[in-house]
Amino acid sequence: MEIINHGTWSGYVPDPYPANLPPNISFAKNDVSGRDWYDALYSETPLCAADSVKVTATKEADGSWRLQAASVDATRVFPHSQLLIEIIGYAGTNPQADFGQKRYDAATNTISEFQKPPRSVTPRQIRLALNQIGLRQQVEDWVKSQDQDTQDNWSYATEFVEDNPLLVACVAAVGKTEADKTALFDLALTL
C-alpha cells in the first residue's frame, strides 16, 4: 500500500460566497496549496484516485494523528480542521474497520495501532483497593523488605501507573497474576 499525505485542511468562508448555496455549508481548504475541498473532489483533476481510500485524521495532545473517517467514497470524508491521507492499493472491503482509530505517523508515513496509555491511580486509590481485597498488609510487608528506593517510591509516589515496574514486581512477589493487577486497577479507579 502507498500512503499519500495531503496535508492539513482548515475551514473558511469563501469571499464572495457562491450564489445559490445555503448559508450553512462548510468549506475547507488545504493549508499549503489553498485548494478548496469541493474543487479537490469535483474538478477535472481530482486530488485523490477514485479507487483509493481517503482518511481524515485529528491531532492528539501528544502530537500524533488519530485516523477517523475512512472511505473509498471521498464525499463521505470532510477534512475540516484535520489531516487528509490517501491510501492506494488497499485490498480490503471495510476501510473504516481497517483504518479508523489507528495511528498515523507523518514522519515515517506509516499506520499502526493506537496504543492506549497505561492507566494510573492515586496512592489513596491503590491503598483503598488493596484494603478491600485484603492485600494491603502483604504488600506493605513486601515493600518494607525492599531497598530504600523502592520504599520511597511506594511512600512518596503521586500516582501509580499500571505498568510501573514496582507494581509488576510486587504483584509477582505476592503471588498474583496480571489479571489480578488489572482487577486491582479496575477497583482502584472506582474509589
Side-chain angles (χ1 to χ4, degrees):
M1 288 188 312
E2 177 187 357
I3 300 170
I4 301 171
N5 181 338
H6 290 294
T8 55
W9 297 67
S10 296
Y12 79 104
V13 177
D15 185 21
Y17 196 85
N20 301 321
L21 288 181
N24 62 345
I25 290 181
S26 293
F27 293 87
K29 65 179 175 180
N30 184 278
D31 291 339
V32 173
S33 71
R35 187 174 188 186
D36 177 84
W37 175 242
Y38 296 112
D39 175 63
L41 291 178
Y42 301 115
S43 73
E44 290 181 21
T45 56
L47 177 66
C48 301
D51 61 348
S52 67
V53 177
K54 295 75 171 171
V55 188
T56 58
T58 55
K59 197 160 204 173
E60 295 288 304
D62 67 0
S64 63
W65 293 95
R66 183 181 296 266
L67 300 182
Q68 300 293 335
S71 180
V72 172
D73 181 355
T75 64
R76 299 194 65 181
V77 301
F78 188 67
H80 185 285
S81 302
Q82 295 183 318
L83 177 78
L84 177 72
I85 64 169
E86 178 180 10
I87 301 169
I88 297 174
Y90 169 69
T93 59
N94 188 341
Q96 185 62 48
D98 292 338
F99 299 113
Q101 300 303 309
K102 298 276 172 74
R103 180 181 193 273
Y104 172 68
D105 184 332
T108 61
N109 204 34
T110 57
I111 296 171
S112 62
E113 293 296 324
F114 215 107
Q115 301 298 320
K116 290 182 182 178
R119 301 183 298 174
S120 68
V121 295
T122 66
R124 177 189 160 278
Q125 288 173 304
I126 199 78
R127 286 173 172 87
L128 289 174
L130 287 168
N131 287 342
Q132 285 194 18
I133 63 173
L135 282 179
R136 174 77 179 271
Q137 191 57 54
Q138 195 175 353
V139 168
E140 295 284 354
D141 291 344
W142 177 81
V143 169
K144 287 178 190 171
S145 72
Q146 300 304 302
D147 63 20
Q148 190 62 51
D149 286 345
T150 301
Q151 292 177 39
D152 287 346
N153 281 328
W154 175 253
S155 297
Y156 302 113
T158 57
E159 73 174 344
F160 287 95
V161 179
E162 195 167 9
D163 63 356
N164 180 296
L166 167 68
L167 291 175
V168 172
C170 183
V171 165
V174 299
K176 298 300 176 184
T177 66
E178 185 70 23
D180 293 327
K181 183 178 66 149
T182 299
L184 174 67
F185 266 76
D186 291 344
L187 175 60
L189 286 165
T190 68
L191 302 172

PDB file of all heavy atoms in Angstrom, residues 154-172:
ATOM      1  N   TRP A 154       7.126   3.730  46.906  1.00  0.00           N
ATOM      2  CA  TRP A 154       5.828   3.353  47.463  1.00  0.00           C
ATOM      3  C   TRP A 154       5.269   4.470  48.357  1.00  0.00           C
ATOM      4  O   TRP A 154       4.094   4.797  48.292  1.00  0.00           O
ATOM      5  CB  TRP A 154       5.943   2.051  48.238  1.00  0.00           C
ATOM      6  CG  TRP A 154       4.672   1.659  48.933  1.00  0.00           C
ATOM      7  CD1 TRP A 154       4.418   1.713  50.270  1.00  0.00           C
ATOM      8  CD2 TRP A 154       3.472   1.173  48.317  1.00  0.00           C
ATOM      9  NE1 TRP A 154       3.136   1.296  50.530  1.00  0.00           N
ATOM     10  CE2 TRP A 154       2.536   0.952  49.343  1.00  0.00           C
ATOM     11  CE3 TRP A 154       3.102   0.904  47.006  1.00  0.00           C
ATOM     12  CZ2 TRP A 154       1.258   0.476  49.099  1.00  0.00           C
ATOM     13  CZ3 TRP A 154       1.822   0.422  46.759  1.00  0.00           C
ATOM     14  CH2 TRP A 154       0.917   0.214  47.794  1.00  0.00           C
ATOM     15  N   SER A 155       6.110   5.056  49.157  1.00  0.00           N
ATOM     16  CA  SER A 155       5.651   6.041  50.142  1.00  0.00           C
ATOM     17  C   SER A 155       5.361   7.414  49.542  1.00  0.00           C
ATOM     18  O   SER A 155       4.467   8.112  50.029  1.00  0.00           O
ATOM     19  CB  SER A 155       6.703   6.205  51.244  1.00  0.00           C
ATOM     20  OG  SER A 155       6.871   4.999  51.939  1.00  0.00           O
ATOM     21  N   TYR A 156       6.116   7.819  48.521  1.00  0.00           N
ATOM     22  CA  TYR A 156       6.025   9.202  48.057  1.00  0.00           C
ATOM     23  C   TYR A 156       5.528   9.377  46.621  1.00  0.00           C
ATOM     24  O   TYR A 156       5.482  10.506  46.133  1.00  0.00           O
ATOM     25  CB  TYR A 156       7.380   9.894  48.219  1.00  0.00           C
ATOM     26  CG  TYR A 156       7.864   9.861  49.649  1.00  0.00           C
ATOM     27  CD1 TYR A 156       8.989   9.114  49.997  1.00  0.00           C
ATOM     28  CD2 TYR A 156       7.189  10.549  50.652  1.00  0.00           C
ATOM     29  CE1 TYR A 156       9.432   9.060  51.308  1.00  0.00           C
ATOM     30  CE2 TYR A 156       7.620  10.491  51.970  1.00  0.00           C
ATOM     31  CZ  TYR A 156       8.735   9.756  52.295  1.00  0.00           C
ATOM     32  OH  TYR A 156       9.155   9.699  53.589  1.00  0.00           O
ATOM     33  N   ALA A 157       5.163   8.312  45.960  1.00  0.00           N
ATOM     34  CA  ALA A 157       4.652   8.435  44.590  1.00  0.00           C
ATOM     35  C   ALA A 157       3.379   9.277  44.577  1.00  0.00           C
ATOM     36  O   ALA A 157       2.564   9.196  45.502  1.00  0.00           O
ATOM     37  CB  ALA A 157       4.366   7.060  44.002  1.00  0.00           C
ATOM     38  N   THR A 158       3.218  10.086  43.558  1.00  0.00           N
ATOM     39  CA  THR A 158       1.997  10.885  43.427  1.00  0.00           C
ATOM     40  C   THR A 158       0.955  10.181  42.562  1.00  0.00           C
ATOM     41  O   THR A 158      -0.195  10.602  42.504  1.00  0.00           O
ATOM     42  CB  THR A 158       2.304  12.268  42.827  1.00  0.00           C
ATOM     43  OG1 THR A 158       2.942  12.091  41.556  1.00  0.00           O
ATOM     44  CG2 THR A 158       3.202  13.072  43.759  1.00  0.00           C
ATOM     45  N   GLU A 159       1.382   9.133  41.861  1.00  0.00           N
ATOM     46  CA  GLU A 159       0.463   8.293  41.093  1.00  0.00           C
ATOM     47  C   GLU A 159       1.099   6.922  40.911  1.00  0.00           C
ATOM     48  O   GLU A 159       2.320   6.767  41.000  1.00  0.00           O
ATOM     49  CB  GLU A 159       0.131   8.910  39.729  1.00  0.00           C
ATOM     50  CG  GLU A 159       1.256   8.849  38.727  1.00  0.00           C
ATOM     51  CD  GLU A 159       0.866   9.334  37.328  1.00  0.00           C
ATOM     52  OE1 GLU A 159      -0.330   9.451  37.026  1.00  0.00           O
ATOM     53  OE2 GLU A 159       1.788   9.573  36.538  1.00  0.00           O
ATOM     54  N   PHE A 160       0.266   5.929  40.671  1.00  0.00           N
ATOM     55  CA  PHE A 160       0.737   4.584  40.363  1.00  0.00           C
ATOM     56  C   PHE A 160       0.222   4.228  38.983  1.00  0.00           C
ATOM     57  O   PHE A 160      -0.981   4.206  38.746  1.00  0.00           O
ATOM     58  CB  PHE A 160       0.254   3.574  41.406  1.00  0.00           C
ATOM     59  CG  PHE A 160       0.970   3.707  42.711  1.00  0.00           C
ATOM     60  CD1 PHE A 160       0.448   4.463  43.747  1.00  0.00           C
ATOM     61  CD2 PHE A 160       2.201   3.086  42.905  1.00  0.00           C
ATOM     62  CE1 PHE A 160       1.119   4.605  44.944  1.00  0.00           C
ATOM     63  CE2 PHE A 160       2.884   3.224  44.104  1.00  0.00           C
ATOM     64  CZ  PHE A 160       2.343   3.983  45.126  1.00  0.00           C
ATOM     65  N   VAL A 161       1.153   3.977  38.072  1.00  0.00           N
ATOM     66  CA  VAL A 161       0.829   3.629  36.701  1.00  0.00           C
ATOM     67  C   VAL A 161       0.808   2.109  36.603  1.00  0.00           C
ATOM     68  O   VAL A 161       1.661   1.420  37.161  1.00  0.00           O
ATOM     69  CB  VAL A 161       1.857   4.240  35.721  1.00  0.00           C
ATOM     70  CG1 VAL A 161       1.538   3.870  34.283  1.00  0.00           C
ATOM     71  CG2 VAL A 161       1.903   5.752  35.886  1.00  0.00           C
ATOM     72  N   GLU A 162      -0.168   1.601  35.864  1.00  0.00           N
ATOM     73  CA  GLU A 162      -0.431   0.163  35.831  1.00  0.00           C
ATOM     74  C   GLU A 162       0.779  -0.674  35.413  1.00  0.00           C
ATOM     75  O   GLU A 162       0.969  -1.771  35.911  1.00  0.00           O
ATOM     76  CB  GLU A 162      -1.611  -0.111  34.894  1.00  0.00           C
ATOM     77  CG  GLU A 162      -2.196  -1.482  35.046  1.00  0.00           C
ATOM     78  CD  GLU A 162      -3.541  -1.618  34.360  1.00  0.00           C
ATOM     79  OE1 GLU A 162      -3.954  -0.705  33.625  1.00  0.00           O
ATOM     80  OE2 GLU A 162      -4.187  -2.648  34.573  1.00  0.00           O
ATOM     81  N   ASP A 163       1.610  -0.170  34.515  1.00  0.00           N
ATOM     82  CA  ASP A 163       2.768  -0.957  34.074  1.00  0.00           C
ATOM     83  C   ASP A 163       4.058  -0.580  34.804  1.00  0.00           C
ATOM     84  O   ASP A 163       5.145  -0.939  34.381  1.00  0.00           O
ATOM     85  CB  ASP A 163       2.950  -0.853  32.565  1.00  0.00           C
ATOM     86  CG  ASP A 163       3.240   0.559  32.084  1.00  0.00           C
ATOM     87  OD1 ASP A 163       3.238   1.495  32.916  1.00  0.00           O
ATOM     88  OD2 ASP A 163       3.465   0.736  30.876  1.00  0.00           O
ATOM     89  N   ASN A 164       3.957   0.126  35.938  1.00  0.00           N
ATOM     90  CA  ASN A 164       5.115   0.518  36.730  1.00  0.00           C
ATOM     91  C   ASN A 164       5.880  -0.726  37.202  1.00  0.00           C
ATOM     92  O   ASN A 164       5.276  -1.665  37.715  1.00  0.00           O
ATOM     93  CB  ASN A 164       4.633   1.338  37.931  1.00  0.00           C
ATOM     94  CG  ASN A 164       5.765   1.800  38.822  1.00  0.00           C
ATOM     95  OD1 ASN A 164       6.454   0.988  39.421  1.00  0.00           O
ATOM     96  ND2 ASN A 164       5.927   3.099  38.914  1.00  0.00           N
ATOM     97  N   PRO A 165       7.211  -0.753  37.044  1.00  0.00           N
ATOM     98  CA  PRO A 165       7.999  -1.918  37.455  1.00  0.00           C
ATOM     99  C   PRO A 165       7.813  -2.285  38.938  1.00  0.00           C
ATOM    100  O   PRO A 165       7.844  -3.457  39.287  1.00  0.00           O
ATOM    101  CB  PRO A 165       9.441  -1.509  37.169  1.00  0.00           C
ATOM    102  CG  PRO A 165       9.337  -0.468  36.104  1.00  0.00           C
ATOM    103  CD  PRO A 165       8.042   0.243  36.358  1.00  0.00           C
ATOM    104  N   LEU A 166       7.634  -1.296  39.799  1.00  0.00           N
ATOM    105  CA  LEU A 166       7.388  -1.567  41.217  1.00  0.00           C
ATOM    106  C   LEU A 166       6.124  -2.409  41.387  1.00  0.00           C
ATOM    107  O   LEU A 166       6.119  -3.408  42.113  1.00  0.00           O
ATOM    108  CB  LEU A 166       7.254  -0.255  42.002  1.00  0.00           C
ATOM    109  CG  LEU A 166       6.704  -0.358  43.429  1.00  0.00           C
ATOM    110  CD1 LEU A 166       7.679  -1.080  44.338  1.00  0.00           C
ATOM    111  CD2 LEU A 166       6.371   1.014  43.978  1.00  0.00           C
ATOM    112  N   LEU A 167       5.055  -2.019  40.699  1.00  0.00           N
ATOM    113  CA  LEU A 167       3.804  -2.776  40.808  1.00  0.00           C
ATOM    114  C   LEU A 167       3.921  -4.151  40.179  1.00  0.00           C
ATOM    115  O   LEU A 167       3.387  -5.131  40.711  1.00  0.00           O
ATOM    116  CB  LEU A 167       2.657  -1.999  40.176  1.00  0.00           C
ATOM    117  CG  LEU A 167       2.232  -0.743  40.913  1.00  0.00           C
ATOM    118  CD1 LEU A 167       1.174   0.009  40.142  1.00  0.00           C
ATOM    119  CD2 LEU A 167       1.728  -1.079  42.303  1.00  0.00           C
ATOM    120  N   VAL A 168       4.594  -4.240  39.051  1.00  0.00           N
ATOM    121  CA  VAL A 168       4.779  -5.533  38.388  1.00  0.00           C
ATOM    122  C   VAL A 168       5.529  -6.488  39.313  1.00  0.00           C
ATOM    123  O   VAL A 168       5.140  -7.645  39.494  1.00  0.00           O
ATOM    124  CB  VAL A 168       5.517  -5.360  37.043  1.00  0.00           C
ATOM    125  CG1 VAL A 168       5.889  -6.693  36.435  1.00  0.00           C
ATOM    126  CG2 VAL A 168       4.660  -4.532  36.071  1.00  0.00           C
ATOM    127  N   ALA A 169       6.607  -6.004  39.943  1.00  0.00           N
ATOM    128  CA  ALA A 169       7.391  -6.840  40.866  1.00  0.00           C
ATOM    129  C   ALA A 169       6.576  -7.211  42.097  1.00  0.00           C
ATOM    130  O   ALA A 169       6.624  -8.362  42.566  1.00  0.00           O
ATOM    131  CB  ALA A 169       8.666  -6.104  41.282  1.00  0.00           C
ATOM    132  N   CYS A 170       5.813  -6.265  42.607  1.00  0.00           N
ATOM    133  CA  CYS A 170       5.004  -6.516  43.795  1.00  0.00           C
ATOM    134  C   CYS A 170       3.935  -7.568  43.516  1.00  0.00           C
ATOM    135  O   CYS A 170       3.720  -8.473  44.328  1.00  0.00           O
ATOM    136  CB  CYS A 170       4.372  -5.215  44.273  1.00  0.00           C
ATOM    137  SG  CYS A 170       3.412  -5.395  45.773  1.00  0.00           S
ATOM    138  N   VAL A 171       3.275  -7.456  42.385  1.00  0.00           N
ATOM    139  CA  VAL A 171       2.234  -8.423  42.012  1.00  0.00           C
ATOM    140  C   VAL A 171       2.820  -9.831  41.987  1.00  0.00           C
ATOM    141  O   VAL A 171       2.244 -10.770  42.542  1.00  0.00           O
ATOM    142  CB  VAL A 171       1.611  -8.046  40.645  1.00  0.00           C
ATOM    143  CG1 VAL A 171       0.816  -9.193  40.057  1.00  0.00           C
ATOM    144  CG2 VAL A 171       0.737  -6.808  40.793  1.00  0.00           C
ATOM    145  N   ALA A 172       3.992  -9.975  41.363  1.00  0.00           N
ATOM    146  CA  ALA A 172       4.636 -11.290  41.292  1.00  0.00           C
ATOM    147  C   ALA A 172       5.059 -11.762  42.685  1.00  0.00           C
ATOM    148  O   ALA A 172       4.884 -12.934  43.036  1.00  0.00           O
ATOM    149  CB  ALA A 172       5.841 -11.231  40.359  1.00  0.00           C
TER     150      ALA A 172
END
